[in-house]
Amino acid sequence: DMKVTQMPRYLIKRMGENVLLECGQDMSHETMYWYRQDPGLGLQLIYISYDVDSNSEGDIPKGYRVSRKKREHFSLILDSAKTNQTSVYFCASSPRGNSGNTLYFGEGSRLIVV
Amino acid sequence: KTQVEQSPQSLVVRQGENCVLQCNYSVTPDNHLRWFKQDTGKGLVSLTVLVDQKDKTSNGRYSATLDKDAKHSTLHITATLLDDTATYICVVGDRGSALGRLHFGAGTQLIVIP
């Protein structure tokens, strides 16, 4: 069953608290992504991971870090959350990058920072 | 600067009508273009991918075209159903590998009314 699972789906945190968003996939995909989606904007890439411990910054990495210790699991960490990090975060995976292969998305994690 | 522009921003049609969504982009190089459907509160689901210089695809009631010379794509939905209510997102990939970037449009919100 090809699936990308995100936990938690909804989260409210106070400014300055740490946030851990988790993502798992059951397809043994090498490449995984973290995006954020804000109203009126296209998805913005935060980090990309090409495989275990092979991570690269995306377009908006500031304030975020990631961890990938197993191929099927990719975490997004916010150390000291800020109100402007309120957003919907999407994890995605792809078998060999994005060429001709479809991209599988999770259902999103809605984070509110107050 | 936004490199993928979608129009219209929103669209209301009656069930059974046809509709056309537009995507114009400035991404270079433009390796491929995907259309995704995003139901409210859900993740993105791939509808089709276009690769060739002048390409056409068909997936049930969804059909799409791509003209790389014009940097333009269309998504046609025939005989709309209430379940077609969603946001449709155009994504352009600048390479055919994991080293490439995906450029997301902000989406067209389609509402199908009875």
Side-chain angles (χ1 to χ4, degrees):
Chain A
D1 190 23
M2 299 180 290
K3 199 169 183 181
V4 176
T5 303
Q6 291 185 233
M7 292 289 288
R9 293 291 317 281
Y10 303 93
L11 190 61
I12 299 175
K13 286 286 193 178
R14 293 192 183 278
M15 196 165 56
E17 290 185 331
N18 298 334
V19 177
L20 172 63
L21 302 180
E22 304 200 77
C23 175
Q25 49 100 356
D26 58 4
M27 299 166 278
S28 295
H29 287 169
E30 295 91 339
T31 310
M32 296 185 74
Y33 311 78
W34 275 107
Y35 290 93
R36 64 178 280 175
Q37 185 178 40
D38 298 296
L41 298 178
L43 270 71
Q44 299 176 85
L45 179 65
I46 305 171
Y47 268 93
I48 182 172
S49 174
Y50 298 106
D51 213 326
V52 171
D53 284 330
S54 179
N55 307 318
S56 290
E57 294 181 346
D59 300 318
I60 52 163
K62 187 177 179 182
Y64 304 94
R65 60 183 175 94
V66 292
S67 174
R68 189 154 179 217
K69 298 301 182 185
K70 294 182 180 180
R71 177 173 282 187
E72 63 270 17
H73 194 249
F74 191 33
S75 300
L76 180 69
I77 301 121
L78 288 67
D79 295 314
S80 187
K82 300 173 180 54
T83 54
N84 62 8
Q85 292 177 309
T86 292
S87 187
V88 182
Y89 292 87
F90 284 96
C91 175
S93 73
S94 180
R96 280 187 306 278
N98 52 44
S99 171
N101 295 312
T102 196
L103 205 54
Y104 294 86
F105 279 85
E107 297 210 317
S109 294
R110 183 176 294 274
L111 171 67
I112 298 173
V113 182
V114 298
Chain B
K1 183 189 171 189
T2 303
Q3 295 193 62
V4 180
E5 300 275 2
Q6 292 188 242
S7 62
Q9 194 171 4
S10 63
L11 180 62
V12 180
V13 299
R14 291 200 178 275
Q15 184 178 355
E17 292 180 341
N18 303 334
C19 64
V20 182
L21 283 57
Q22 312 281 351
C23 177
N24 289 287
Y25 62 91
S26 58
V27 177
T28 300
D30 49 350
N31 179 270
H32 61 276
L33 185 147
R34 290 179 208 269
W35 283 95
F36 286 91
K37 178 186 180 186
Q38 184 180 25
D39 292 319
T40 301
K42 300 289 188 180
L44 284 68
V45 176
S46 179
L47 294 174
T48 191
V49 59
L50 301 117
V51 178
D52 295 336
Q53 195 72 16
K54 292 192 192 303
D55 205 354
K56 290 184 180 180
T57 61
S58 182
N59 178 10
R61 292 180 299 102
Y62 300 102
S63 61
T65 66
L66 173 63
D67 181 344
K68 287 189 177 181
D69 292 330
K71 292 190 178 290
H72 177 71
S73 176
T74 60
L75 178 69
H76 298 247
I77 307 176
T78 304
T80 52
L81 303 172
L82 297 178
D83 283 348
D84 291 331
T85 294
T87 298
Y88 292 83
I89 296 174
C90 172
V91 183
V92 180
D94 61 12
R95 288 199 211 181
S97 73
L99 297 176
R101 280 285 191 260
L102 297 175
H103 302 265
F104 289 76
T108 291
Q109 185 180 19
L110 174 65
I111 299 171
V112 181
I113 59 175

